[in-house]
Amino acid sequence: ETGVTQSPTHLIKTRGQQVTLRCSSQSGHNTVSWYQQALGQGPQFIFQYYREEENGRGNFPPRFSGLQFPNYSSELNVNALELDDSALYLCASSLEGFNQPQHFGDGTRLSIL
Amino acid sequence: QKEVEQNSGPLSVPEGAIASLNCTYSDRGSQSFFWYRQYSGKSPELIMSIYSNGDKEDGRFTAQLNKASQYVSLLIRDSQPSDSATYLCAVNIFTGRRALTFGSGTRLQVQP
């Protein structure tokens, strides 16, 4: 069984640039959620995708956007990068169902200079 | 008031002791509760899930849930140095979506 995979592992960008992060869900999982984790904090929910539609969004501005593809993989796009966007970006996948546990990938460490 | 609260620690216990980690949450409608372990520089790893009041045991780990008091706890028996990590409490707060709300985590140090 293949787990959740994310790419790239690390990324360095400058303010104002745009970035795309990618996630492949665990085999059989059709729901993908994205989280941002700042140093010393718990992950913060960005948004969730189910059946290629956004299925809920946290308190993040519209410059954070995403996609889910028919194979359940997903992308997180961030435009107009700001210094505060420096964080670990985590993708989690789960089966359909409200109480299903979410399993995380290894994350992408994004640094904004 | 934060939706999910944890003591940041560090919680220091000797090897072989029981480590007790606690978490409180604010939304009485919460339905599912999870504990994740996160080693420094790594991603969260699911170790326990609990959905109904009472205890749930899995190996050296026991999760306890009390919905009336709005707390969930994690006990680690026979603590090992390899258990040293940050433990994140996550709650599925019902808002029509399946997002997890996390606490800030408790750092556990197991002293050899």
Side-chain angles (χ1 to χ4, degrees), chain A residues 23-36:
Chain A
C23 171
S24 293
S25 62
Q26 184 171 320
S27 178
H29 288 186
N30 58 9
T31 301
V32 173
S33 304
W34 286 91
Y35 294 82
Q36 180 195 66

Side-chain angles (χ1 to χ4, degrees), chain A:
Chain A
E1 183 179 85
T2 307
V4 180
T5 59
Q6 292 186 242
S7 63
T9 305
H10 296 89
L11 206 49
I12 300 174
K13 293 284 189 177
T14 57
R15 281 189 306 170
Q17 286 189 310
Q18 177 266 344
V19 68
T20 298
L21 310 181
R22 294 180 174 84
C23 171
S24 293
S25 62
Q26 184 171 320
S27 178
H29 288 186
N30 58 9
T31 301
V32 173
S33 304
W34 286 91
Y35 294 82
Q36 180 195 66
Q37 187 176 24
L39 206 58
Q41 300 297 318
Q44 298 292 313
F45 174 71
I46 302 175
F47 43 55
Q48 182 179 90
Y49 278 86
Y50 171 64
R51 293 185 177 179
E52 302 176 56
E53 297 285 335
E54 187 178 288
N55 183 41
R57 187 179 185 91
N59 189 26
F60 281 82
R63 60 189 185 84
F64 286 78
S65 63
L67 284 173
Q68 187 180 34
F69 300 99
N71 65 354
Y72 307 133
S73 67
S74 178
E75 286 183 355
L76 164 65
N77 299 290
V78 187
N79 293 322
L81 287 166
E82 301 177 359
L83 293 177
D84 284 349
D85 296 334
S86 294
L88 179 66
Y89 287 84
L90 295 161
C91 170
S93 73
S94 60
L95 294 169
E96 179 178 351
F98 182 72
N99 287 329
Q100 292 296 326
Q102 297 183 17
H103 299 268
F104 285 87
D106 289 339
T108 295
R109 174 75 60 187
L110 177 62
S111 299
I112 310 301
L113 303 180

Side-chain angles (χ1 to χ4, degrees), chain B residues 76-109:
Chain B
I76 306 175
R77 290 181 299 282
D78 188 24
S79 296
Q80 300 298 309
S82 59
D83 294 326
S84 298
T86 296
Y87 289 80
L88 296 164
C89 171
V91 177
N92 210 332
I93 295 175
F94 185 73
T95 57
R97 53 175 167 82
R98 295 185 287 267
L100 294 176
T101 300
F102 284 83
S104 296
T106 298
R107 189 157 63 92
L108 173 66
Q109 294 177 340

Side-chain angles (χ1 to χ4, degrees), chain A residues 40-42, chain B residues 2 4-12 21-23 85-88 103-109:
Chain A
Q41 300 297 318
Chain B
K2 289 184 180 179
V4 179
E5 294 207 53
Q6 297 181 255
N7 188 319
S8 61
L11 172 65
S12 185
L21 305 161
N22 300 310
C23 170
T86 296
Y87 289 80
L88 296 164
S104 296
T106 298
R107 189 157 63 92
L108 173 66
Q109 294 177 340

Side-chain angles (χ1 to χ4, degrees), chain B residues 2 20 37 50-51 62 68 80 84 101 112:
Chain B
K2 289 184 180 179
S20 177
R37 177 176 62 199
I50 188 166
Y51 305 101
T62 299
Q80 300 298 309
S84 298
T101 300

